[in-house]
Amino acid sequence: MLKLVRLALTAAILTAIAVRLRRRARMPERLTVPPAPAPAARRTRMGLVWAGIAGIVAVTLTAALIPDSGRPAMTGHAGQARARAQTPTQAPSQTSAQAPAQALTQAPTQAPTQAPTQAPTQVPSAAPTATPDPACSPAPRPVTVRPIDPRVRQAVNLQWRRIERWLKANAPRTYRTLGAPGRARTIAIAEAQMGVDFPDDLRASLLRHNGSRGAYGFGLGFWSEGATNLSTREIRDAWRALCARPRTDPAGEHWNGRLIPFLYQREEGTFAAVDSAGGAVVGGATEPRMPSYHALVRAVADALERGTPLEGRRPAVTRGLLRWEQP
């Protein structure tokens, strides 16, 4: 309040000074005009000036007192009503800001309470998982070309010469399907990748004929029609494919990772294999069909030369192709 009065008085004083200066500024111009008016006229003019100054002070005080006069009214019923009218507009902004914060704090606490209640209901419905075969996941090993027993290699080559001689004379189309000699390093690479050691008689046979070619290729599987000898790489690929099949009991099934598939039967989609543990030949079952791979090659050579049946099948030739027929 005192500040407003001071402002009003200051304005009045400044106005009076301005009027005074204005009168002095006009005095030179009035030197040529007639003489100054009478003292009564001067008093009249001065009264008008002071009246104007008083009016300015009154207007300034009135403008300063108008806000003060309105403040008490805000503390009455009207002020309370306006305060109540403003509170609803502020409440939603606070609740909306607090709602996401409550949702974020409650979300983590609800998730753990629901997980334990749902887990037991899902376990019984889960399908049984396949048991991995340790023999199908061999440890890394270096590629090593192992020597072959000379006596074993000589015995295997002797039986192959008997088979080659008979095929060339009686089944030339089958003879032409015999593969070229294999490589010792290729066999060593397959052994390292499969984690098994090929028996000496199987390696000697692959070094003589690396499998057979074509749909009617020669096969030592006389107990099934349409069997074809596999090359070294085909042996490795077949082993990987058989290991990739899901099995619940690798130890009790016909196939396991220690078996080496050497022959594929196209019509039945089965393999004959050599057991790397003992060297026995198995075909479609766990019981051995031959004690060794060399014994299998010798039995085939005997059946071809003598024309005798072997395990219920007799060798026959149709249009230059060898077939094993039942009597």
Side-chain angles (χ1 to χ4, degrees), residues 93-110:
S93 62
Q94 294 177 357
T95 54
S96 61
Q98 293 175 357
Q102 293 178 357
L104 292 175
T105 55
Q106 292 177 0
T109 56
Q110 292 178 358

Side-chain angles (χ1 to χ4, degrees), residues 102-219:
Q102 293 178 357
L104 292 175
T105 55
Q106 292 177 0
T109 56
Q110 292 178 358
T113 56
Q114 294 178 0
T117 57
Q118 295 178 358
T121 59
Q122 294 178 358
V123 171
S125 60
T129 58
T131 303
D133 187 355
C136 288
S137 301
R141 52 182 280 186
V143 177
T144 304
V145 178
R146 298 180 296 109
I148 301 176
D149 188 347
R151 294 175 298 178
V152 175
R153 186 167 187 173
Q154 183 180 0
V156 172
N157 288 335
L158 175 62
Q159 305 307 322
W160 268 114
R161 282 194 294 270
R162 296 173 60 194
I163 295 174
E164 294 165 0
R165 187 166 50 246
W166 189 93
L167 291 176
K168 189 175 182 180
N170 299 279
R173 293 179 62 185
T174 302
Y175 172 78
R176 289 193 292 268
T177 65
L178 294 175
R183 297 181 179 180
R185 180 168 178 78
T186 304
I187 298 174
I189 293 174
E191 290 179 326
Q193 293 175 346
M194 297 168 58
V196 296
D197 292 336
F198 289 14
D200 284 359
D201 50 4
L202 175 60
R203 289 191 294 152
S205 178
L206 291 172
L207 291 177
R208 179 122 187 149
H209 293 292
N210 190 26
S212 57
R213 304 181 301 272
Y216 300 97
F218 175 77

